[in-house]
Amino acid sequence: MEIGNKVYLNNIDQIDEKSHIKVRVLKIWNFVRNNKVCSIEMIIMDEEGTQYQARVFNQNFSRFCHLLKEDESYIVIKPNMAAVTNDFSYTGHKQTLTLDWKSILKKCDDFSGPVNGFMFVDFNSIIEQTCPKDTFFDVIGHIVSFRPLETSNPVPSKHYIKVTLSNLDSVHLKVTIFGSQAYQISEYLKNNPTVNFVVIVMQFLKLNIWNGLGEAKSHFEVTKLFINSDIYEINEFKNKLKCHDNFGITEKSITTLQSYSSSYTDDFKGNFPLKTICEITEPIKEMKFLLVASIVNIRQNLPWYIIPINVQGCTGTIGLTLFDREARRLLNISVYELKKIHYAAGDSDALFPMQLNVLKNCKFGFVVDITEYNVNNYNNIYTVLRVTKDMSIVCELESKIELMSIQSVSLNQVALESDDVVQPDVISQTDESFTPSTVDKSTATSPCKISGDLKCNLQEIYDVDSGYDLSSTKAKRKSTAEETPLLIPKIEK
């Protein structure tokens, strides 16, 4: 049959029954509900590279399902249009192209547009969440680390693998891949242990926010995966990678990380070192550690997806950040649900809801992370990776701290000229004496500075008497060594 003028997807409103569109099917999948295929879903692209969602409803399956194939091109005559029914548009457009009873579909042998239609976004735009939030995007990078396939969920489509990709600027991006593609990645890595660089393209990914940072994740059957494929984009990436001075091409560069499948409480049982607050007030190096402390304050005026807290132990107070997943374990409600309750009550969004006060003055075990950001920016507000109020775990950690304290004293005994004993909590603070600004300024109550063996700056813990009667409130020294100042413990007010 004779076809009319060619129209592009950007001008879809101008199409009439005599005009046509040339499109390439980038992705095709079935939408299933209650074990029944309700529609054939597609992402198509025209010769200008514009992408659009397309659909065939089940009453028209017999006309089109045997014709439509992924990575094939077609001429579409008399298409119809339908509205996008949810808030998420695969391509950013508010309507979809549909093939109905009057539509005509013909094979196209002269499609002149792009082959894959990749729309790569910069890793930093994902991490900083400036990338598209309500549409798909694509990424390319080589795998630098991964965690083994996680299969604990009884639903296979929810099995997943986590990989970390690096771009040519050595920016790292975390990507979570679900379902059959997770198995595909896992099998490839297992069967190709000698491959130095595994470059992948993930097409049609969604933004995922975790611990305040942007990540990427696959989306059901929609996402496409290319693993070291012989396509232009991957070959070009590999060539640039080989020319990069920072990469040793002969050395294997993929790290296998610990699986997520271990018990949640396992992280409190020896995987990480146990620290006191005075040992970690300075972000000297990246590390994960265990901490026992009580929540004494909740800081205000910060985003709702985090709960910024101040915790206090026997050696000081420091700021930590609880993200939603860990907060939910303590509150049995998400911070987003709390936000709705808070707003419904007409309370100010500059303050956290009163429900969070149940966390105050309670003792918890924490797994805490000092990240590269903390070290580079000398920021001692650390992220909580795990939190538990299980008293058996908390008491066990406290017992270990007491043992560490006893061992430290026995190894570093100093003869004092007085029978007075300085108690560990002489330098602790009370909730009333603490102000949020203390932690906001990245300071800490503890005067301890850790360098190798636990050393303290005695001048900050003790008043040093110069030996002269300069104060009417200090007792005169009884020591005969006039040159050695007497150390008098400071008493907390």
Side-chain angles (χ1 to χ4, degrees):
M1 63 174 292
E2 182 180 353
I3 58 176
N5 295 329
K6 180 167 59 177
V7 176
Y8 297 98
L9 289 171
N10 278 330
N11 306 111
I12 190 68
D13 293 336
Q14 300 176 14
I15 196 169
D16 56 37
E17 293 197 352
K18 294 183 179 181
S19 56
H20 71 279
I21 302 174
K22 288 185 178 181
V23 300
R24 181 175 176 84
V25 177
L26 298 179
K27 182 66 181 181
I28 185 168
W29 70 98
N30 292 332
F31 175 71
V32 180
R33 177 178 292 168
N34 298 327
N35 297 320
K36 179 182 178 181
V37 179
C38 299
S39 63
I40 299 172
E41 301 290 329
M42 294 170 284
I43 295 179
I44 61 174
M45 174 184 64
D46 67 10
E47 292 177 311
E48 291 183 328
T50 302
Q51 296 181 9
Y52 229 82
Q53 186 176 349
R55 176 177 297 153
V56 179
F57 290 106
N58 56 2
Q59 60 264 37
N60 295 301
F61 283 177
S62 59
R63 294 195 60 203
F64 299 108
C65 65
H66 65 288
L67 296 174
L68 291 168
K69 294 182 180 180
E70 199 167 289
D71 298 324
E72 294 286 349
S73 301
Y74 302 92
I75 296 172
V76 183
I77 304 170
K78 300 180 182 178
N80 203 341
M81 304 301 293
V84 173
T85 56
N86 52 42
D87 294 333
F88 185 86
S89 170
Y90 296 146
T91 61
H93 299 285
K94 299 302 181 184
Q95 55 186 357
T96 66
L97 183 148
T98 62
L99 301 177
D100 62 14
W101 63 274
K102 67 176 183 177
S103 301
I104 299 173
L105 191 70
K106 297 181 62 177
K107 188 75 177 291
C108 175
D109 297 322
D110 61 349
F111 184 83
S112 61
V115 176
N116 294 303
F118 295 134
M119 302 177 68
F120 296 124
V121 298
D122 181 70
F123 282 10
N124 284 321
S125 71
I126 301 173
I127 296 168
E128 297 167 4
Q129 302 151 49
T130 58
C131 67
K133 296 179 176 60
D134 300 321
T135 60
F136 288 128
F137 54 80
D138 311 331
V139 300
I140 183 171
H142 71 97
I143 299 175
V144 294
S145 66
F146 72 97
R147 296 186 186 276
L149 188 68
E150 172 57 59
T151 60
S152 59
N153 195 299
V155 181
S157 63
K158 294 185 178 180
H159 296 175
Y160 64 88
I161 189 171
K162 286 182 174 286
V163 302
T164 300
L165 300 182
S166 176
N167 63 11
L168 295 173
D169 296 322
S170 298
V171 178
H172 287 186
L173 175 71
K174 294 181 179 179
V175 182
T176 305
I177 305 167
F178 292 92
S180 60
Q181 292 176 343
Y183 281 90
Q184 188 179 348
I185 282 278
S186 180
E187 286 297 314
Y188 185 92
L189 294 172
K190 182 173 65 175
N191 296 332
N192 296 273
T194 60
V195 175
N196 290 339
F197 287 95
V198 178
V199 179
I200 69 172
V201 169
M202 298 291 294
Q203 190 175 24
F204 309 130
L205 293 173
K206 288 186 68 175
L207 175 67
N208 182 49
I209 300 175
W210 178 250
N211 282 355
L213 299 177
E215 301 179 0
K217 67 177 180 179
S218 66
H219 185 72
F220 302 107
E221 299 90 353
V222 183
T223 299
K224 291 183 72 172
L225 172 64
F226 301 80
I227 310 174
N228 272 352
S229 304
D230 186 17
I231 59 176
Y232 171 78
E233 291 81 3
I234 287 182
N235 291 332
E236 182 186 40
F237 187 96
K238 286 183 177 180
N239 290 333
K240 291 180 179 178
L241 193 62
K242 292 176 183 178
C243 296
H244 204 294
D245 293 336
N246 293 334
F247 292 97
I249 199 67
T250 61
E251 298 179 3
K252 186 169 178 60
S253 60
I254 301 176
T255 302
T256 304
L257 303 177
Q258 182 182 358
S259 172
Y260 278 120
S261 59
S262 59
S263 170
Y264 185 88
T265 59
D266 285 351
D267 284 338
F268 295 94
K269 298 179 180 179
N271 290 336
F272 305 109
L274 179 60
K275 299 289 184 180
T276 57
I277 287 178
C278 71
E279 293 181 87
I280 44 85
T281 53
E282 292 181 283
I284 298 174
K285 65 177 181 179
E286 296 178 51
M287 66 179 301
K288 296 176 177 63
F289 60 90
L290 297 173
L291 179 70
V292 178
S294 298
I295 297 177
V296 294
N297 188 55
I298 298 170
R299 297 175 14 244
Q300 308 293 325
N301 301 311
L302 286 170
W304 268 92
Y305 57 80
I306 66 173
I307 299 178
I309 58 176
N310 299 128
V311 300
Q312 187 176 93
C314 62
T315 61
T317 305
I318 200 167
L320 300 177
T321 300
L322 273 176
F323 286 90
D324 184 53
R325 188 184 73 167
E326 299 310 308
R328 191 194 296 253
R329 293 182 185 276
L330 303 178
L331 300 167
N332 295 320
I333 186 174
S334 71
V335 292
Y336 298 100
E337 292 169 313
L338 278 178
K339 180 180 180 180
K340 292 179 181 179
I341 297 173
H342 190 65
Y343 286 169
D347 294 326
S348 169
D349 58 3
L351 300 174
F352 280 97
M354 295 298 294
Q355 288 92 332
L356 297 183
N357 285 331
V358 300
L359 302 178
K360 293 181 64 175
N361 302 316
C362 294
K363 191 172 291 185
F364 301 97
F366 300 94
V367 178
V368 185
D369 189 16
I370 299 179
T371 65
E372 180 182 6
Y373 174 86
N374 295 121
V375 175
N376 292 343
N377 295 275
Y378 206 70
N379 181 300
N380 67 344
I381 309 295
Y382 307 137
T383 299
V384 174
L385 299 178
R386 298 278 192 273
V387 61
T388 181
K389 55 184 176 181
D390 186 326
M391 288 311 298
S392 63
I393 295 176
V394 172
C395 291
E396 182 180 352
L397 294 177
E398 283 193 308
S399 297
K400 290 181 180 180
I401 289 178
E402 291 177 4
L403 180 60
M404 290 164 52
S405 176
I406 293 172
Q407 291 173 341
S408 177
V409 170
S410 64
L411 292 174
N412 299 280
Q413 284 183 340
V414 178
L416 300 177
E417 299 177 32
S418 169
D419 292 334
D420 294 336
V421 178
V422 181
Q423 297 297 329
D425 61 356
V426 73
I427 58 172
S428 66
Q429 284 186 303
T430 62
D431 189 15
E432 291 76 15
S433 65
F434 182 81
T435 59
S437 60
T438 306
V439 176
D440 290 344
K441 295 177 181 177
S442 297
T443 60
T445 60
S446 170
C448 298
K449 308 293 181 184
I450 304 306
S451 176
D453 55 348
L454 187 63
K455 294 182 180 180
C456 295
N457 185 338
L458 294 178
Q459 286 189 340
E460 294 186 27
I461 302 180
Y462 298 94
D463 284 324
V464 180
D465 196 313
S466 64
Y468 300 98
D469 297 331
L470 299 179
S471 172
S472 61
T473 62
K474 296 180 181 178
K476 295 181 181 180
R477 273 187 318 195
K478 295 181 181 180
S479 172
T480 57
E482 296 295 327
E483 302 84 304
T484 304
L486 178 63
L487 301 180
I488 303 174
K490 290 183 179 179
I491 303 300
E492 184 178 56
K493 296 179 175 59

